[in-house]
Amino acid sequence: LHERSYKDSVFFRDGVRRIDFVLSYIDDKDGERKQERRKLYEANLMKVGLELETEDKSESEDGKTYFVKIHAPWEVLATYADVLKIKVPFKANDIPDNSQMPMNWLATPFRLPEHIMHPEPDYFTASFDNSKCDFFLIDNKDTFFPPSTRNRIVYYILSRCSYFRDECGDKDKKGIKRLLNNGTYTAAFPLHDCRYWKRSRDANCESDRYNLYKYWARFFCFFKEQPLNLIRHYYGEKIGIYFAWLGFYTEMLLFAAVVGTICFIYGFLTYDDNEWSKEICDEKIGGNIVMCPLCDKKCGYWKLNTTCNSSWQSHLFDNVATVFFAIFMGIWVTLFLEFWKRRQARLEYEWDLVDFEEEQQQLQLRPEYETKCTNRKLNRITQEMEPYLPITSKCARMCLSGATVLFWISLIIACIIGVIAYRLAVYAAFASIMKDSPTSNLQVVGPYITPQLATSVTASCINFIIIMILNLMYERVAIWITDMEIPKTHLEYENKLTVKMFLFQFVNYYSSCFYVAFFKGKFVGHPGNYAYMFGSLSKLRNEECDPGGCLIELTTQLVIVMTGKQVWGNIQEALVPWLMNWWGSRKARNHPESLYSRWEQDHDLQGFGQLGLFYEYLEMVIQFGFITLFVASFPLAPLLALINNIIEVRVDSWKLTTQFRRPVAAKAHSIGAWEEILSGIAILSVVTNAFIVAFTSDMIPRLVYMYAYQPDSQRNMKGYINDSLSVFNISRIQLTSRPEEGENPSWFNSSITTCRYRDYRYPPGHEKEYEHTMQFWHILAAKLAFIIIMEHVVFSVKFFVAWMIPDVPSDVRARVKRERYLVQEYLHNYEVEKLKVQLSLNSSNDCTCTPMIYPSLPQHEVLSECL
């Protein structure tokens, strides 16, 4: 029974000392050097004061793996808590919390139980000082430091402990990371405190993992708030901040989704006022307009009313509400970023990160940096010799890394150009196949499948596959070049990798959308003088926009890339770790629980790598780009993002709680480099949306027509279609561009002498034939004016809002000051009390000296003064 209970708990065999960390290794036949390293390393760990207990391989289920369990006794924890300036409680918080929400009862269904939301009472905290132990609220030394702090301290020691003999001063040989890299140990991880689906049998165990799973990681909790304090308590601040940000982003998306849906519904309800679509669909107007061929040789003449459906669809997204929504999103982004800064400031206060010294975290050199930099120089601050990278080597590495990133980005652009060439080549093929195609006989979807749509969908899918393949390859390259630059600290490493990965992903995911939004249909030329990609010899004529407008194509592109990415991302995130764990633990699952110990269960889970959170952030920031940069073309994007994020929060939490080993707790007081990236996207989004409304949608040409060119001076859109098409003389079309025999439809005959095309040019026979008309320049001026006005309006509102909203809420600022004041006051009182006790002890020895009011003097000095 004892055997069984100790294996299913997080304690040593004595049932008292807690396991703070576990190392595992497999003893190779030829691994004498590894054995030697382990022996030295473990001896050095014991010298530092850690206690070890080894489980023999005969005890493990595979019969090969040894497990070393590590416990940090109180003296070690206290010493390093002092070194790491860990904040600990000294008094219960007595500032009344007046933040009662009005209409609080409405939120009851979304609330979690109080013991889950606030697992521990609120305390005033101060940095731990080993010499003043009785100042802090220490009830029980075993439970004073929570497990997340304990594993952080032990990891700090593990990553700095050496594995060489004192006599051979090879200073580089230290740290658990190097031992893992060279295979001395196979894994190092802190333990989860119980199985996720049931509480631990041990009464001394908190079972936080079970609570997290029950109240947070299950999908049916999707409408509940997140237990952020419990997440922080269990996983540390870095992971806590990520989930706080993700939750906040999802809440803010709700507002954007509601407004976007209203704009979409507006487009749906004003369906019948859509005069230009009625004209296109009208047999007498659209049915009589003969359009010029859309590609060389393989495309025939066509009637305008064949695009009836796509012009109706395009109205759903291309209406007045879209402009309003684009402006709204520009302001929403600012509100999101500003309110997040406030939420972050509140978390910093609640989680004791206010004067979190980034230095202690970041001045820890990466072990890789120490090994690879053989040169040494004097550190001016610590006055010790430390490794450094010569400036020449640094520059060479930076240049190589910059060139690599540029090469990969140009590779993507080349792929995008390839996809465009595919669209041009295939469009002609689709057009000739579909002319008398079987698809038109399909009952429901037949009329909707146009050559444009077929080309768009297949190109988007090919594009999506290329994106995924390039992603997998670039990921390795980015990590390789960041390693090659040898960043000095972990923070620097993460920031460099973040910027590289983001630049690449930015081009990768957004380039196709940029092409459709800003290049397609803008450089077409006109009949008789078409523009060709790669010059006229290539025979790849530049694409024209669908007569319904390019906006509907941008919408298609956005929906395919965005939903494809989100669905694929969620499947990959949830399925891959689950399958790997299922496969890894297949043998062990047959053993009774008494043999399958806590540490083996965790050993069979996936490791949560150093970049685990990085990919989570990346995925969300790319999504943030989709819903801000191109939102003018698809008002439902925030709604899709909202649905995805509600699932995402639960998938991430489920994955972290059930499929991964417990990560080492790490501190972080913000979302790091991502905040700058989000601000950059926010500014760029105003520009892209202004351009989409002006150049991609047909909003401006319609308004110009209505107010300046409507012949009856009535404010309506009658006659707009006729006005927006120019006339071309069929006999002037070059032979290379003319439709081949049999490509023209049956109704086409020699009595038709002219065809129409989208542009504003003078008709044949005019003195300036085929040059741009005055209306073209008028519309261009209106477009540019609109861009300038919209940008100025949105930017001025953005900056005003940002200026209005303080980054730190006033009550948080007051509480921080109050806490600092109280810490000083209590420390002072504590010292004075201590002195009084001391003096009273002395006075009993008949000491008649003036009392010393030097609260900070150590005890023996005061005594000697008296003597």
Side-chain angles (χ1 to χ4, degrees), residues 1-8 201 594:
L1 183 77
H2 176 66
E3 161 91 4
R4 190 164 168 183
S5 63
Y6 101 81
K7 275 202 159 187
D8 190 38
R201 292 205 189 105
S594 56

Side-chain angles (χ1 to χ4, degrees), residues 479-723:
I479 292 174
W480 175 73
I481 47 184
T482 312
D483 284 341
M484 185 202 64
E485 284 179 41
I486 321 183
K488 191 171 181 177
T489 63
H490 292 297
L491 183 76
E492 197 180 322
Y493 183 87
E494 268 180 29
N495 288 351
K496 281 186 168 179
L497 189 60
T498 300
V499 172
K500 280 189 194 61
M501 287 293 282
F502 181 74
L503 274 175
F504 179 82
Q505 302 277 11
F506 184 88
V507 181
N508 203 347
Y509 280 112
Y510 302 139
S511 48
S512 56
C513 292
F514 270 102
Y515 164 71
V516 175
F518 305 125
F519 297 99
K520 187 179 175 182
K522 309 289 182 285
F523 310 101
V524 181
H526 64 90
N529 184 18
Y530 282 118
Y532 288 84
M533 190 174 176
F534 314 125
S536 57
L537 294 174
S538 68
K539 301 225 165 58
L540 291 175
R541 192 169 115 190
N542 283 350
E543 278 184 292
E544 291 193 40
C545 276
D546 204 42
C550 255
L551 200 74
I552 192 80
E553 287 201 41
L554 178 57
T555 309
T556 313
Q557 180 76 28
L558 195 66
V559 173
I560 289 179
V561 177
M562 192 171 155
T563 48
K565 182 183 182 320
Q566 293 186 347
V567 171
W568 170 252
N570 278 330
I571 290 174
Q572 196 184 8
E573 272 188 25
L575 218 57
V576 172
W578 182 79
L579 283 171
M580 288 172 82
N581 290 338
W582 177 82
W583 183 251
S585 63
R586 64 193 185 285
K587 287 207 236 26
R589 282 196 305 277
N590 307 327
H591 292 298
E593 197 173 294
S594 56
L595 291 177
Y596 193 28
S597 62
R598 244 330 316 108
W599 41 93
E600 285 173 284
Q601 294 163 25
D602 281 11
H603 181 259
D604 288 341
L605 297 177
Q606 295 302 299
F608 189 74
Q610 190 193 350
L611 299 176
L613 270 190
F614 173 80
Y615 294 116
E616 304 298 343
Y617 274 120
L618 186 67
E619 187 186 357
M620 286 296 105
V621 172
I622 294 286
Q623 183 210 69
F624 180 78
F626 278 125
I627 64 157
T628 51
L629 294 172
F630 304 104
V631 79
S633 70
F634 187 48
L636 291 180
L639 182 66
L640 288 182
L642 175 70
I643 294 166
N644 172 72
N645 285 11
I646 289 172
I647 299 168
E648 177 80 24
V649 172
R650 303 302 157 182
V651 168
D652 283 353
S653 54
W654 171 82
K655 186 176 71 177
L656 199 61
T657 311
T658 66
Q659 302 304 308
F660 281 100
R661 291 176 193 155
R662 185 175 182 170
V664 180
K667 277 194 178 294
H669 65 126
S670 70
I671 58 175
W674 296 109
E675 210 166 310
E676 306 299 319
I677 290 175
L678 289 173
S679 307
I681 293 179
I683 291 171
L684 182 62
S685 71
V686 178
V687 182
T688 52
N689 282 315
F691 273 87
I692 287 173
V693 173
F695 284 100
T696 314
S697 83
D698 285 340
M699 185 81 56
I700 309 290
R702 284 183 208 141
L703 291 174
V704 170
Y705 173 78
M706 191 161 94
Y707 288 104
Y709 289 90
Q710 223 286 349
D712 316 333
S713 302
Q714 292 174 338
R715 294 282 164 84
N716 63 24
M717 296 301 293
K718 280 200 169 65
Y720 168 71
I721 288 298
N722 194 28
D723 178 77

Side-chain angles (χ1 to χ4, degrees), residues 137-172:
L137 294 177
I138 304 177
D139 300 331
N140 178 351
K141 288 185 173 179
D142 291 336
T143 57
F144 180 64
F145 291 110
S148 57
T149 305
R150 297 176 71 107
N151 72 49
R152 197 176 135 223
I153 291 174
V154 174
Y155 187 70
Y156 182 85
I157 298 170
L158 289 177
S159 57
R160 273 159 190 69
C161 189
S162 59
Y163 52 91
F164 57 83
R165 286 200 186 81
D166 294 339
E167 56 268 21
C168 53
D170 184 357
K171 284 279 194 297
D172 291 339

Side-chain angles (χ1 to χ4, degrees), residues 102-328:
M103 310 283 278
N104 204 3
W105 52 273
L106 282 175
T108 316
F110 309 109
R111 294 256 183 272
L112 287 174
E114 186 62 23
H115 73 281
I116 300 294
M117 283 308 289
H118 301 285
E120 45 194 16
D122 196 9
Y123 291 110
F124 287 133
T125 56
S127 297
F128 186 76
D129 184 341
N130 209 356
S131 62
K132 301 193 180 79
C133 279
D134 50 344
F135 173 64
F136 300 104
L137 294 177
I138 304 177
D139 300 331
N140 178 351
K141 288 185 173 179
D142 291 336
T143 57
F144 180 64
F145 291 110
S148 57
T149 305
R150 297 176 71 107
N151 72 49
R152 197 176 135 223
I153 291 174
V154 174
Y155 187 70
Y156 182 85
I157 298 170
L158 289 177
S159 57
R160 273 159 190 69
C161 189
S162 59
Y163 52 91
F164 57 83
R165 286 200 186 81
D166 294 339
E167 56 268 21
C168 53
D170 184 357
K171 284 279 194 297
D172 291 339
K173 291 189 169 176
K174 65 178 190 184
I176 186 67
K177 237 177 160 181
R178 289 198 61 191
L179 289 169
L180 288 171
N181 289 346
N182 62 29
T184 308
Y185 290 103
T186 50
F189 52 92
L191 284 183
H192 279 297
D193 59 9
C194 63
R195 302 184 132 199
Y196 66 83
W197 63 88
K198 58 181 182 191
R199 293 184 180 282
S200 172
R201 292 205 189 105
D202 194 324
N204 296 328
C205 200
E206 300 84 3
S207 297
D208 282 342
R209 184 190 189 191
Y210 168 78
N211 285 335
L212 282 170
Y213 177 69
K214 182 178 172 188
Y215 293 103
W216 177 54
R218 285 153 62 177
F219 181 70
F220 296 109
C221 308
F222 71 87
F223 58 92
K224 298 277 191 189
E225 58 189 338
Q226 296 187 78
L228 292 175
N229 289 319
L230 188 59
I231 299 169
R232 171 242 178 171
H233 183 73
Y234 192 72
Y235 289 117
E237 285 78 1
K238 196 170 185 178
I239 289 177
I241 283 264
Y242 165 71
F243 281 103
W245 178 79
L246 181 57
F248 180 72
Y249 171 45
T250 308
E251 284 165 29
M252 288 292 286
L253 270 177
L254 184 63
F255 301 107
V258 168
V259 178
T261 313
I262 291 171
C263 291
F264 179 74
I265 292 170
Y266 169 83
F268 201 77
L269 296 177
T270 54
Y271 217 51
D272 293 340
D273 314 341
N274 179 355
E275 194 65 51
W276 57 94
S277 289
K278 286 181 187 164
E279 289 189 358
I280 290 177
C281 298
D282 190 337
E283 279 298 320
K284 294 190 182 64
I285 305 174
N288 287 334
I289 295 179
V290 176
M291 301 291 288
C292 301
L294 285 175
C295 63
D296 292 350
K297 294 194 171 182
K298 289 287 174 197
C299 303
Y301 296 92
W302 52 287
K303 285 190 174 169
L304 186 59
N305 63 356
T306 54
T307 63
C308 176
N309 282 322
S310 66
S311 85
W312 281 113
Q313 289 157 9
S314 138
H315 173 72
L316 287 176
F317 305 109
D318 189 358
N319 55 53
V320 187
T322 313
V323 183
F324 161 75
F325 191 53
I327 293 171
F328 167 80

Side-chain angles (χ1 to χ4, degrees), residues 371-555:
T371 351
K372 288 178 183 164
C373 302
T374 44
N375 305 36
R376 309 251 152 197
K377 70 170 184 186
L378 189 73
N379 181 328
R380 292 177 189 171
I381 300 163
T382 59
Q383 291 296 312
E384 286 175 7
M385 298 303 282
E386 64 169 21
Y388 85 106
L389 199 58
I391 194 81
T392 45
S393 163
K394 206 171 187 174
C395 288
R397 286 165 192 274
M398 294 288 274
C399 293
L400 182 57
S401 128
T404 316
V405 174
L406 277 175
F407 166 74
W408 275 85
I409 287 178
S410 11
L411 188 66
I412 304 180
I413 294 171
C415 290
I416 299 296
I417 292 172
V419 171
I420 294 168
Y422 161 86
R423 291 172 85 125
L424 304 184
V426 162
Y427 178 70
F430 275 130
S432 83
I433 296 166
M434 286 185 172
K435 182 166 59 35
D436 36 21
S437 73
T439 56
S440 51
N441 305 334
L442 292 173
Q443 294 293 301
V444 185
V445 291
Y448 294 98
I449 301 175
T450 59
Q452 278 95 343
L453 182 73
T455 312
S456 239
V457 171
T458 53
S460 296
C461 292
I462 289 175
N463 191 34
F464 175 66
I465 293 164
I466 288 178
I467 283 178
M468 285 303 167
I469 294 169
L470 282 177
N471 255 353
L472 289 171
M473 288 157 66
Y474 181 74
E475 210 167 278
R476 303 227 165 105
V477 175
I479 292 174
W480 175 73
I481 47 184
T482 312
D483 284 341
M484 185 202 64
E485 284 179 41
I486 321 183
K488 191 171 181 177
T489 63
H490 292 297
L491 183 76
E492 197 180 322
Y493 183 87
E494 268 180 29
N495 288 351
K496 281 186 168 179
L497 189 60
T498 300
V499 172
K500 280 189 194 61
M501 287 293 282
F502 181 74
L503 274 175
F504 179 82
Q505 302 277 11
F506 184 88
V507 181
N508 203 347
Y509 280 112
Y510 302 139
S511 48
S512 56
C513 292
F514 270 102
Y515 164 71
V516 175
F518 305 125
F519 297 99
K520 187 179 175 182
K522 309 289 182 285
F523 310 101
V524 181
H526 64 90
N529 184 18
Y530 282 118
Y532 288 84
M533 190 174 176
F534 314 125
S536 57
L537 294 174
S538 68
K539 301 225 165 58
L540 291 175
R541 192 169 115 190
N542 283 350
E543 278 184 292
E544 291 193 40
C545 276
D546 204 42
C550 255
L551 200 74
I552 192 80
E553 287 201 41
L554 178 57
T555 309

